[in-house]
mmCIF file of all heavy atoms in Angstrom:
data_model
loop_
_atom_site.group_PDB
_atom_site.id
_atom_site.type_symbol
_atom_site.label_atom_id
_atom_site.label_comp_id
_atom_site.label_asym_id
_atom_site.label_seq_id
_atom_site.Cartn_x
_atom_site.Cartn_y
_atom_site.Cartn_z
ATOM 1 N N HIS A 106 -75.738 -62.604 -6.691
ATOM 2 C CA HIS A 106 -76.600 -61.916 -7.657
ATOM 3 C C HIS A 106 -77.839 -61.353 -6.960
ATOM 4 O O HIS A 106 -78.241 -60.209 -7.234
ATOM 5 C CB HIS A 106 -76.991 -62.859 -8.791
ATOM 6 C CG HIS A 106 -77.703 -62.187 -9.907
ATOM 7 N ND1 HIS A 106 -77.089 -61.304 -10.756
ATOM 8 C CD2 HIS A 106 -78.995 -62.243 -10.302
ATOM 9 C CE1 HIS A 106 -77.969 -60.846 -11.626
ATOM 10 N NE2 HIS A 106 -79.132 -61.399 -11.368
ATOM 11 N N GLU A 107 -78.420 -62.134 -6.063
ATOM 12 C CA GLU A 107 -79.572 -61.645 -5.303
ATOM 13 C C GLU A 107 -79.179 -60.444 -4.434
ATOM 14 O O GLU A 107 -79.933 -59.477 -4.330
ATOM 15 C CB GLU A 107 -80.166 -62.761 -4.439
ATOM 16 C CG GLU A 107 -80.884 -63.836 -5.241
ATOM 17 C CD GLU A 107 -82.041 -63.301 -6.071
ATOM 18 O OE1 GLU A 107 -82.837 -62.485 -5.554
ATOM 19 O OE2 GLU A 107 -82.134 -63.680 -7.259
ATOM 20 N N GLN A 108 -77.992 -60.515 -3.835
ATOM 21 C CA GLN A 108 -77.514 -59.382 -3.040
ATOM 22 C C GLN A 108 -77.320 -58.150 -3.927
ATOM 23 O O GLN A 108 -77.639 -57.030 -3.523
ATOM 24 C CB GLN A 108 -76.195 -59.722 -2.341
ATOM 25 C CG GLN A 108 -76.335 -60.695 -1.206
ATOM 26 C CD GLN A 108 -74.973 -61.092 -0.639
ATOM 27 O OE1 GLN A 108 -73.926 -60.597 -1.047
ATOM 28 N NE2 GLN A 108 -74.987 -62.009 0.316
ATOM 29 N N TRP A 109 -76.766 -58.359 -5.132
ATOM 30 C CA TRP A 109 -76.568 -57.246 -6.043
ATOM 31 C C TRP A 109 -77.908 -56.613 -6.408
ATOM 32 O O TRP A 109 -78.042 -55.391 -6.424
ATOM 33 C CB TRP A 109 -75.814 -57.676 -7.298
ATOM 34 C CG TRP A 109 -76.033 -56.739 -8.452
ATOM 35 C CD1 TRP A 109 -76.633 -57.018 -9.643
ATOM 36 C CD2 TRP A 109 -75.689 -55.352 -8.523
ATOM 37 N NE1 TRP A 109 -76.684 -55.904 -10.438
ATOM 38 C CE2 TRP A 109 -76.114 -54.858 -9.772
ATOM 39 C CE3 TRP A 109 -75.072 -54.464 -7.640
ATOM 40 C CZ2 TRP A 109 -75.940 -53.543 -10.160
ATOM 41 C CZ3 TRP A 109 -74.897 -53.141 -8.030
ATOM 42 C CH2 TRP A 109 -75.319 -52.694 -9.279
ATOM 43 N N LEU A 110 -78.909 -57.433 -6.715
ATOM 44 C CA LEU A 110 -80.221 -56.889 -7.073
ATOM 45 C C LEU A 110 -80.802 -56.064 -5.924
ATOM 46 O O LEU A 110 -81.362 -54.984 -6.155
ATOM 47 C CB LEU A 110 -81.180 -58.011 -7.470
ATOM 48 C CG LEU A 110 -80.807 -58.777 -8.751
ATOM 49 C CD1 LEU A 110 -81.776 -59.924 -8.976
ATOM 50 C CD2 LEU A 110 -80.746 -57.851 -9.952
ATOM 51 N N ALA A 111 -80.646 -56.556 -4.701
ATOM 52 C CA ALA A 111 -81.132 -55.805 -3.535
ATOM 53 C C ALA A 111 -80.349 -54.501 -3.372
ATOM 54 O O ALA A 111 -80.934 -53.447 -3.103
ATOM 55 C CB ALA A 111 -81.026 -56.657 -2.275
ATOM 56 N N THR A 112 -79.036 -54.563 -3.548
ATOM 57 C CA THR A 112 -78.204 -53.362 -3.452
ATOM 58 C C THR A 112 -78.598 -52.365 -4.532
ATOM 59 O O THR A 112 -78.779 -51.174 -4.254
ATOM 60 C CB THR A 112 -76.711 -53.721 -3.585
ATOM 61 O OG1 THR A 112 -76.346 -54.584 -2.504
ATOM 62 C CG2 THR A 112 -75.833 -52.486 -3.587
ATOM 63 N N ARG A 113 -78.719 -52.843 -5.752
ATOM 64 C CA ARG A 113 -79.090 -51.977 -6.873
ATOM 65 C C ARG A 113 -80.433 -51.286 -6.613
ATOM 66 O O ARG A 113 -80.590 -50.091 -6.845
ATOM 67 C CB ARG A 113 -79.164 -52.788 -8.161
ATOM 68 C CG ARG A 113 -79.471 -51.956 -9.393
ATOM 69 C CD ARG A 113 -79.825 -52.795 -10.571
ATOM 70 N NE ARG A 113 -81.085 -53.481 -10.281
ATOM 71 C CZ ARG A 113 -81.587 -54.473 -10.990
ATOM 72 N NH1 ARG A 113 -80.922 -54.934 -12.022
ATOM 73 N NH2 ARG A 113 -82.731 -55.033 -10.672
ATOM 74 N N ASP A 114 -81.392 -52.064 -6.090
ATOM 75 C CA ASP A 114 -82.714 -51.499 -5.816
ATOM 76 C C ASP A 114 -82.698 -50.502 -4.669
ATOM 77 O O ASP A 114 -83.598 -49.660 -4.570
ATOM 78 C CB ASP A 114 -83.720 -52.616 -5.526
ATOM 79 C CG ASP A 114 -84.005 -53.466 -6.752
ATOM 80 O OD1 ASP A 114 -83.661 -53.046 -7.886
ATOM 81 O OD2 ASP A 114 -84.562 -54.573 -6.584
ATOM 82 N N SER A 115 -81.683 -50.575 -3.797
ATOM 83 C CA SER A 115 -81.608 -49.655 -2.663
ATOM 84 C C SER A 115 -80.809 -48.388 -2.962
ATOM 85 O O SER A 115 -80.757 -47.480 -2.140
ATOM 86 C CB SER A 115 -80.992 -50.366 -1.445
ATOM 87 O OG SER A 115 -79.613 -50.595 -1.651
ATOM 88 N N LEU A 116 -80.209 -48.321 -4.144
ATOM 89 C CA LEU A 116 -79.428 -47.141 -4.518
ATOM 90 C C LEU A 116 -80.367 -45.955 -4.748
ATOM 91 O O LEU A 116 -81.544 -46.141 -5.080
ATOM 92 C CB LEU A 116 -78.619 -47.413 -5.794
ATOM 93 C CG LEU A 116 -77.494 -48.438 -5.670
ATOM 94 C CD1 LEU A 116 -76.876 -48.710 -7.042
ATOM 95 C CD2 LEU A 116 -76.435 -47.984 -4.681
ATOM 96 N N PRO A 117 -79.851 -44.743 -4.590
ATOM 97 C CA PRO A 117 -80.676 -43.563 -4.871
ATOM 98 C C PRO A 117 -81.230 -43.603 -6.299
ATOM 99 O O PRO A 117 -80.625 -44.204 -7.196
ATOM 100 C CB PRO A 117 -79.709 -42.392 -4.702
ATOM 101 C CG PRO A 117 -78.577 -42.930 -3.899
ATOM 102 C CD PRO A 117 -78.490 -44.400 -4.179
ATOM 103 N N ALA A 118 -82.348 -42.973 -6.506
ATOM 104 C CA ALA A 118 -83.016 -42.991 -7.814
ATOM 105 C C ALA A 118 -82.127 -42.473 -8.936
ATOM 106 O O ALA A 118 -82.253 -42.917 -10.083
ATOM 107 C CB ALA A 118 -84.307 -42.189 -7.750
ATOM 108 N N ASP A 119 -81.225 -41.548 -8.627
ATOM 109 C CA ASP A 119 -80.362 -40.999 -9.666
ATOM 110 C C ASP A 119 -79.095 -41.839 -9.898
ATOM 111 O O ASP A 119 -78.266 -41.487 -10.728
ATOM 112 C CB ASP A 119 -79.992 -39.546 -9.358
ATOM 113 C CG ASP A 119 -79.181 -39.408 -8.067
ATOM 114 O OD1 ASP A 119 -79.185 -40.349 -7.241
ATOM 115 O OD2 ASP A 119 -78.554 -38.341 -7.898
ATOM 116 N N ALA A 120 -78.976 -42.948 -9.190
ATOM 117 C CA ALA A 120 -77.807 -43.829 -9.359
ATOM 118 C C ALA A 120 -78.059 -44.764 -10.537
ATOM 119 O O ALA A 120 -78.665 -45.819 -10.407
ATOM 120 C CB ALA A 120 -77.559 -44.626 -8.082
ATOM 121 N N LYS A 121 -77.595 -44.363 -11.675
ATOM 122 C CA LYS A 121 -77.746 -45.120 -12.919
ATOM 123 C C LYS A 121 -76.368 -45.585 -13.382
ATOM 124 O O LYS A 121 -75.356 -45.067 -12.936
ATOM 125 C CB LYS A 121 -78.386 -44.245 -13.998
ATOM 126 C CG LYS A 121 -79.713 -43.632 -13.613
ATOM 127 C CD LYS A 121 -80.798 -44.667 -13.580
ATOM 128 C CE LYS A 121 -82.134 -44.015 -13.241
ATOM 129 N NZ LYS A 121 -83.015 -44.865 -12.517
ATOM 130 N N PRO A 122 -76.332 -46.564 -14.301
ATOM 131 C CA PRO A 122 -75.030 -46.961 -14.848
ATOM 132 C C PRO A 122 -74.284 -45.734 -15.361
ATOM 133 O O PRO A 122 -74.852 -44.877 -16.032
ATOM 134 C CB PRO A 122 -75.403 -47.911 -15.988
ATOM 135 C CG PRO A 122 -76.720 -48.483 -15.569
ATOM 136 C CD PRO A 122 -77.431 -47.354 -14.859
ATOM 137 N N GLY A 123 -73.033 -45.640 -14.964
ATOM 138 C CA GLY A 123 -72.203 -44.484 -15.311
ATOM 139 C C GLY A 123 -72.030 -43.528 -14.151
ATOM 140 O O GLY A 123 -71.094 -42.743 -14.136
#
Side-chain angles (χ1 to χ4, degrees):
H106 188 69
E107 289 301 316
Q108 288 175 3
W109 158 244
L110 295 176
T112 298
R113 183 192 66 192
D114 292 345
S115 71
L116 293 174
D119 63 342
K121 304 288 182 211

